[in-house]
Structure formats: structure tokens, C-alpha cells
Amino acid sequence: MPKMKTHSSAKKRFKLTGKGKVKRFQARTSHLMRKKSKKAKTRLNGSTLASPADEGRIKKLLCVK
């Protein structure tokens, strides 16, 4: 049986925290930023945790149990 390969796009988009939760970046930050208020842009900075409902699917793509 060959080794499992990590999904290339998933490894670029997601990271695991120390406790095994999935960290992701905010959506809606790539373009059309001039329409957004400063408050909205500040809120979109940084990362957040992925939904627990999606966590299992993401971990499967990352080949993590």
C-alpha cells in the first residue's frame, strides 16, 4: 500500500494548532478592499478556527487523524 499524499491546496490553506484544531484564514480579503470600511478590513486580518463540522474533512485532506 503506498503512502497517503497530502492534498496540495489544503496544505496551503490550513494549519493545525497545538491542540489539533484547524486554523484557517478569513475569506473575502483578496480583492474589492476599497469598498470595505477600515473596521471591516481590520476584522478580516489574521486567522480563525475552522468550523468543527468541517474539521474532519480537512484533517482527512491533510492526512492527519
Side-chain angles (χ1 to χ4, degrees), residues 24-41:
R24 66 168 179 85
F25 291 105
Q26 299 277 3
R28 302 186 175 111
T29 58
S30 58
H31 59 95
L32 301 175
M33 294 297 279
R34 66 177 178 263
K35 292 181 181 181
K36 295 177 177 68
S37 66
K38 184 175 175 68
K39 185 177 178 181
K41 287 187 271 194

Side-chain angles (χ1 to χ4, degrees), residues 14-55:
F14 304 107
K15 300 278 185 256
L16 290 177
T17 63
K19 292 194 174 189
K21 294 181 179 179
V22 179
K23 191 168 72 166
R24 66 168 179 85
F25 291 105
Q26 299 277 3
R28 302 186 175 111
T29 58
S30 58
H31 59 95
L32 301 175
M33 294 297 279
R34 66 177 178 263
K35 292 181 181 181
K36 295 177 177 68
S37 66
K38 184 175 175 68
K39 185 177 178 181
K41 287 187 271 194
T42 302
R43 187 179 54 80
L44 291 170
N45 281 345
S47 58
T48 185
L49 294 177
S51 164
D54 295 327
E55 226 171 67

